[in-house]
Amino acid sequence: MSVIEITHLTKSYGRSRGIADVNLKVEQGEIFGFIGPNGAGKSTTIRTLLGLIYPSGGSATIFGRDCVRHPEVRREVGYLPSEVFYYDNMRVVDLLRYSASFYKKDCTKRIRELAGIMDLDLKKKIDDLSFGNKKKVGIVQGLLHEPKLIILDEPTSGLDPLMQQRFFGLIAEENKKGATVFFSSHILSEVQRMCSRVALIKEGRIIRLEKMSDLQNNSYKRFHIETKGVPAKDAFALDGVSNLKMKGKEIDFIFRGDINTVMKRVAGLELRNISIEEPDLEEIFLHYYAGEGRAV
Amino acid sequence: MNMVLHELKSLRKSTVLWTCSLIAIAALYLSLYPGIGKDAEDFKRLLGGYPPAVRAMLGIRLDSITSMLGFYSFAFSFIALCGAIQGMNLGVSILSKESRERTADFLLVKPVSRVSIVTAKLSAAVLMLLATDVVFYAAVSVLANAVKTSDFSHKLFFMVNLTLLFLQLIFFSLGMAVSVFFKRLKSVLPLSLGVVFGLYLLGALIGAGRNDGAARYFSPFQYFRTDYILRHSAYESPYLIAGAAVAVVSILVTYTVYVKKDIHAVS
């Protein structure tokens, strides 16, 4: 049984925003990355999983149970939104206790532990906290009941690098203990670091679902070629070539496919220099989004 | 239960304030009573100079205004207005505040159903209205007994005061039902003041017209006429039922809409 199973999920808002026919499966123990630019539908998908909004079509289940009809599945879910807002006139510890009271288990020890790791002052009033500190409250609040599924929606905004480090440490630890993580972000390096699989979402549709290793290894190469003479314009008009830039004697592109086909073309040129590198996810990602001429 | 307690705590301050204000209004009017009771005839002559329509709008009945209960029911129309604002305000804000203060992403992802959220908030608010009215009733009883010039019926006094609770419940449920239709309600007071004053003025006009019957159903302020209560020691059952119907329908609408409502991200 998959931890998250989304089938043909559609949510339309009347206008163009929303998601269409999203299919996803997240397995037990995975750290699943969910990436796309702002407004692509990441939050819509997550909010449906959490029962905050209702799908116009399709379904979403968590631990095999429908998110809409079974609010109790959320007992095993921890959620960290990108922006956190809490009842301003409460003290941190009161808010955390209130949060814990929904899960019917004693979380006092875990609250102290997490607050220690995140360096959070429990006695302060929420009102007096900085944005970063509120975010820490959010992290503790999302993890205090030791959820089996952790849903993160752009979790690192507002955290300084040190705290990000600790936060990722925490998530990795929870994952080791068996928690599944669903991690949405538009910052690719963090996804790259954490996730085992990623889904790319664009304009409300999943355009790619890949293993992190597949995405990074072998399949994509970044070429930088300098030639002695000016090459023909169609020298690299091949299937699998993208982001092609030809500037005089310099050629840059990303290639995906059988490496031999491109090497044959290269062999036909008089070279001054060549470098072939692993592109980072950012470039692969850009390459998907460049498709419709839209800036990311 | 945790949600009810949380709501009670967050409503504590405003409830205390409202209760004090209601008592202060009652105290202000009642403090005038000893003088009026003494110079009853002069006072009646003075009020007799007002056009009958104005008297009707203000709820002044010449034959009873100088008696304790008559005077109190005149003052009570303002207390009822105030109480209705409290009820409406509470109703409009109690569900919408999660979106307004952007805490919906906290509460609504907890493992509780929307129905239980509405029920918890509804119970907390009703408890607070009950507390307001119990304290208010205790205070005005003491005050009324202190200023009375002759004995009055405590049963009728209680019946008049009980309509405060009825009105508050009607406006509270109306407020909730209105609030669930807004995606994000930025400010509560203009909406609740607008609706309550609108219905109050409508009620006053209907009252001035003296046309009993159908028109009175349009304003909850006309559901419980104190002169009828004082004369018959009873409520007018058609209007009592109408009030209950408004409350029940509003609450049903609240549940139905809120359970299906999309909670959008803060922007």
Side-chain angles (χ1 to χ4, degrees):
Chain A
M1 184 187 70
S2 307
V3 173
I4 296 177
E5 195 167 345
I6 298 175
T7 38
H8 304 298
L9 188 70
T10 300
K11 174 72 188 177
S12 39
Y13 291 115
R15 284 157 283 150
S16 58
R17 279 176 60 228
I19 50 175
D21 200 25
V22 168
N23 292 285
L24 269 186
K25 265 188 190 176
V26 179
E27 304 299 333
Q28 170 74 39
E30 266 193 303
I31 300 187
F32 189 91
F34 194 47
I35 50 184
N38 294 325
K42 300 189 298 286
S43 290
T44 303
T45 311
I46 287 178
R47 295 179 86 75
T48 315
L49 281 175
L50 293 166
L52 287 168
I53 58 178
Y54 296 115
S56 343
S59 68
T61 63
I62 291 179
F63 299 113
R65 283 200 275 178
D66 192 280
C67 300
V68 174
R69 267 170 298 165
H70 297 280
E72 71 277 4
V73 297
R74 297 200 287 267
R75 195 165 292 164
E76 299 298 344
V77 178
Y79 169 55
L80 176 61
S82 51
E83 284 183 82
V84 290
F85 294 98
Y86 297 119
Y87 307 98
D88 280 347
N89 50 14
M90 281 175 101
R91 286 187 311 154
V92 174
V93 66
D94 293 329
L95 178 96
L96 294 174
R97 278 198 199 121
Y98 181 43
S99 179
S101 70
F102 285 92
Y103 299 103
K104 298 190 170 70
K105 57 178 163 186
D106 184 24
C107 307
T108 327
K109 208 179 125 227
R110 188 71 183 141
I111 291 175
R112 304 253 161 239
E113 252 173 54
L114 289 166
I117 296 170
M118 293 315 289
D119 200 13
L120 178 69
D121 185 354
L122 290 175
K123 293 205 177 67
K124 277 205 169 156
K125 265 196 158 191
I126 307 260
D127 215 8
D128 302 331
L129 296 181
S130 66
F131 185 74
N133 276 320
K134 274 188 196 164
K135 194 85 191 196
K136 291 182 192 172
V137 178
I139 294 168
V140 177
Q141 192 269 127
L143 298 177
L144 57 82
H145 55 295
E146 295 168 86
K148 291 196 186 112
L149 170 63
I150 302 170
I151 296 179
L152 309 168
D153 191 359
E154 312 262 356
T156 51
S157 64
L159 281 182
D160 60 55
L162 177 68
M163 281 304 148
Q164 283 191 20
Q165 201 72 30
R166 287 194 193 171
F167 169 67
F168 284 126
L170 261 179
I171 296 295
E173 212 174 284
E174 290 297 310
N175 180 244
K176 228 177 274 166
K177 280 195 264 172
T180 309
V181 182
F182 188 81
F183 182 170
S184 126
S185 180
H186 66 275
I187 302 164
L188 298 153
S189 55
E190 43 182 54
V191 176
Q192 207 163 12
R193 198 160 79 197
M194 300 281 298
C195 299
S196 46
R197 282 199 306 152
V198 294
L200 305 177
I201 185 167
K202 177 189 180 186
E203 283 166 9
R205 287 172 189 278
I206 303 278
I207 50 170
R208 208 89 186 177
L209 193 68
E210 282 188 86
K211 276 195 184 137
M212 205 60 192
S213 48
D214 285 351
L215 204 57
Q216 279 174 297
N217 292 346
N218 307 325
S219 49
Y220 289 91
K221 297 287 175 204
R222 183 173 60 216
F223 280 79
H224 176 79
I225 299 169
E226 289 169 36
T227 54
K228 283 190 175 155
V230 178
K233 275 228 165 86
D234 60 349
F236 288 96
L238 282 175
D239 279 351
V241 169
S242 57
N243 283 21
L244 181 63
K245 274 177 222 135
M246 296 178 86
K247 241 199 309 180
K249 295 174 185 175
E250 287 182 33
I251 310 165
D252 287 279
F253 60 88
I254 291 172
F255 180 76
R256 185 191 200 214
D258 184 0
I259 200 82
N260 291 303
T261 57
V262 74
M263 289 315 284
K264 275 178 196 151
R265 290 288 177 103
V266 173
L269 296 169
E270 190 90 358
L271 298 183
R272 188 194 297 276
N273 200 357
I274 183 166
S275 71
I276 305 172
E277 292 173 333
E278 297 284 333
D280 57 22
L281 197 50
E282 196 111 16
E283 280 170 293
I284 300 169
F285 186 60
L286 267 171
H287 146 82
Y288 281 120
Y289 286 90
E292 254 127 271
R294 249 181 75 194
V296 181
Chain B
M1 212 44 211
N2 53 351
M3 284 188 281
V4 178
L5 287 176
H6 175 83
E7 290 302 326
L8 287 177
K9 236 183 251 171
S10 69
L11 291 175
R12 204 171 35 191
K13 230 183 242 169
S14 75
T15 307
V16 169
L17 272 175
W18 275 107
T19 311
C20 292
S21 319
L22 286 171
I23 294 172
I25 296 172
L28 185 70
Y29 276 102
L30 285 172
S31 67
L32 299 175
Y33 180 69
I36 290 163
K38 233 187 285 157
D39 306 318
E41 285 315 309
D42 289 344
F43 191 66
K44 273 187 192 170
R45 217 176 309 122
L46 174 76
L47 289 175
Y50 284 26
V54 172
R55 284 205 305 262
M57 270 177 85
L58 292 173
I60 299 168
R61 315 260 176 283
L62 278 186
D63 47 348
S64 64
I65 185 77
T66 52
S67 75
M68 179 66 212
L69 286 174
F71 179 76
Y72 183 71
S73 56
F74 158 67
F76 188 75
S77 67
F78 300 103
I79 293 162
L81 172 64
C82 221
I85 295 171
Q86 182 198 8
M88 184 85 186
N89 226 18
L90 193 56
V92 173
S93 67
I94 192 121
L95 286 171
S96 66
K97 74 175 170 194
E98 301 294 340
S99 294
R100 193 170 39 258
E101 289 162 19
R102 305 170 179 206
T103 47
D105 280 17
F106 171 84
L107 184 62
L108 275 69
V109 304
K110 294 283 176 262
V112 285
S113 64
R114 298 271 179 99
V115 169
S116 52
I117 291 175
V118 177
T119 307
K121 284 177 173 273
L122 183 97
S123 327
V126 169
L127 278 175
M128 279 313 200
L129 288 178
L130 276 172
T132 305
D133 293 351
V134 167
V135 173
F136 173 78
Y137 180 68
V140 288
S141 296
V142 171
L143 286 171
N145 277 308
V147 299
K148 69 180 175 187
T149 47
S150 58
D151 275 335
F152 61 91
S153 157
H154 284 88
K155 183 190 164 210
L156 287 177
F157 186 68
F158 176 74
M159 284 185 77
V160 168
N161 276 305
L162 191 59
T163 65
L164 177 64
L165 178 65
F166 294 160
L167 271 176
Q168 284 180 319
L169 291 178
I170 292 171
F171 277 98
F172 167 72
S173 27
L174 207 58
M176 277 211 304
V178 170
S179 77
V180 293
F181 287 99
F182 288 85
K183 243 187 199 164
R184 194 169 147 218
L185 204 53
K186 290 231 171 66
S187 46
V188 169
L189 211 56
L191 177 68
S192 47
L193 283 183
V195 173
V196 174
F197 274 117
L199 288 173
Y200 185 76
L201 284 178
L202 188 68
L205 289 174
I206 294 166
R210 292 282 89 201
N211 52 341
D212 289 278
R216 283 177 59 193
Y217 287 108
F218 288 107
S219 173
F221 287 104
Q222 289 295 318
Y223 288 0
F224 313 106
R225 280 194 176 161
T226 43
D227 56 333
Y228 183 94
I229 299 169
L230 293 184
R231 250 182 293 130
H232 301 267
S233 303
Y235 300 114
E236 292 168 276
S237 33
Y239 297 100
L240 196 62
I241 292 165
V246 170
V248 168
V249 169
S250 301
I251 287 169
L252 287 179
V253 167
T254 304
Y255 273 103
T256 323
V257 176
Y258 196 72
V259 162
K260 294 226 155 71
K261 195 177 175 182
D262 282 344
I263 307 296
H264 292 286
V266 291
S267 46

